[in-house]
Amino acid sequence: AIHLTQSPSSLSASVGDRVTITCRASQGITSSLAWYQQKPGKAPNLLIYDASTLESGVPSRFSGSLSGTDFTLTISSLQPEDFATYFCQQFKSYPRFGGGTKVEIK
Amino acid sequence: EVQLVESGGGLGQPDRSLRLSCAASGFTFDNYAMHWVRQGPGKGLEWVSGISWNSGNIDYADSVKGRFTISRDNAKRSLYLQMNSLRAEDTALYYCVKDIGDTFYIFDYWGQGTLVTVSS
């Protein structure tokens, strides 16, 4: 099974900060990775798929990239509505999610 | 507007059964694969099962294989999950989820979830 290691598990940041979250796959998954945002009490929301394709309607401050087996979600300038938990998910084989990164207000 | 509305959750006893349903609207249901994804209390996300547009391709997570059965009725625009031999570890919020296409395993719309609690 392909496992995803997401880091950090939590972080504190301020509005306007640049935030980076990393997801490492246990084996090569080409670009078969998606990122989701989940706010408390709500269902997850698709942000990015195929490692770097922005889902329709998602603000351009969100971006995704790939380097080897390391995937990165970047929020270029954190906004108040971005405080949430972020999950990565691989779809190279049976879908599996990372453990999540909680972005909190500093 | 895409809407996915789950129902059927509740308290289930160990080794008993529950059946979840999901009513879909706002998109051409029989063009897309559908899935169930669950989230345990305070835990992460776990894909449970998926079904292709014509029910020709069905997959399950190892944790539920042999106990759960996914199905769909395209005429009724509905997705189902028959959950048998329930275990405590099946306790979770169960989301009905739309695939971005036919079994791409990219999840672009989610329902609000139905809570399943397994306890005696």
Side-chain angles (χ1 to χ4, degrees), chain A residues 7 18-24 33 35 48 51-52 62-67 69-75 88:
Chain A
S7 61
R18 181 181 181 90
V19 170
T20 299
I21 299 168
T22 298
C23 186
R24 174 170 291 174
L33 190 109
W35 290 96
I48 287 169
S52 60
F62 291 92
S63 65
S65 63
L66 164 62
S67 177
T69 57
D70 287 355
F71 297 82
T72 300
L73 172 69
T74 300
I75 309 172
C88 57

Side-chain angles (χ1 to χ4, degrees), chain A residues 34 36 38 41-46 48-50 55 87 89-91 93-99, chain B residues 35 37 39 43-47 58-60 65 95 100 104-113:
Chain A
Y36 299 83
Q38 186 177 31
K42 300 293 186 181
N45 181 49
L46 177 65
I48 287 169
Y49 60 94
D50 289 345
E55 170 69 346
F87 294 93
Q89 175 236 328
Q90 65 84 13
F91 49 92
S93 65
Y94 289 121
R96 190 179 291 265
F97 293 85
Chain B
H35 305 267
V37 175
Q39 188 167 30
K43 295 184 179 179
L45 298 161
E46 180 187 19
W47 172 82
I58 290 175
D59 295 314
Y60 298 97
K65 202 171 291 183
Y95 292 105
I100 202 169
F104 287 92
Y105 296 104
I106 302 169
F107 310 130
D108 62 350
Y109 287 94
W110 301 59
Q112 285 308 299

